[in-house]
Amino acid sequence: MDTQFYPMSKRPEHSDDEYLFSKTVMVYDEGSDTDKFSELGYFDFENDEWIHFGDNSMKLICWCEIPDPADYIKNNNLKSVTHRGYRP
C-alpha cells in the first residue's frame, strides 16, 4: 500500500473515542529537501487547530495516516529487541 499524503487543509477523520479530536496522524514540517521532520499530531476540531506531540516548533506542510504494521508483523519472522530502560 502506498502512503497517501494530504494538505493540512484536509482534516483527518474523527477519533473513534473522541469527537472533538481527529485520529492521530503523522504531520510533516515544511523543512527543506534534506531536512524533513515528522511528528505525531492531530487536529482539534473544537479549537480549529493542529497540534503535535513534539517540542519542536514546526511549520506544518502535510500529513498522512500512521501505517498499520499488523500484516507485515504477521507475515514475517521478526525478532523483537528491547529498548533502554525496558521493564518486563
Side-chain angles (χ1 to χ4, degrees):
M1 179 176 98
D2 290 333
T3 303
Q4 297 289 315
F5 293 94
Y6 303 97
M8 301 311 292
S9 59
K10 179 174 174 51
R11 308 301 188 227
E13 295 179 17
H14 289 267
S15 172
D16 292 336
D17 58 347
E18 178 63 57
Y19 189 74
L20 298 177
F21 305 106
S22 76
K23 293 181 177 182
T24 301
V25 297
M26 293 292 299
V27 293
Y28 292 85
D29 185 37
E30 182 177 49
S32 68
D33 290 342
T34 59
D35 188 25
K36 296 291 182 210
F37 184 76
S38 63
E39 186 64 71
L40 294 175
Y42 63 93
F43 188 77
D44 179 333
F45 291 99
E46 184 176 37
N47 293 315
D48 195 38
E49 65 184 356
W50 282 95
I51 298 169
H52 72 81
F53 296 114
D55 293 330
N56 294 321
S57 180
M58 296 172 65
K59 191 170 184 182
L60 304 176
I61 191 78
C62 66
W63 65 272
C64 70
E65 293 183 3
I66 300 172
D68 182 354
D71 287 339
Y72 177 78
I73 292 170
K74 183 174 61 176
N75 294 323
N76 291 278
N77 185 19
L78 303 172
K79 181 179 185 238
S80 64
V81 298
T82 58
H83 59 84
R84 180 173 42 141
Y86 172 79
R87 294 179 302 278

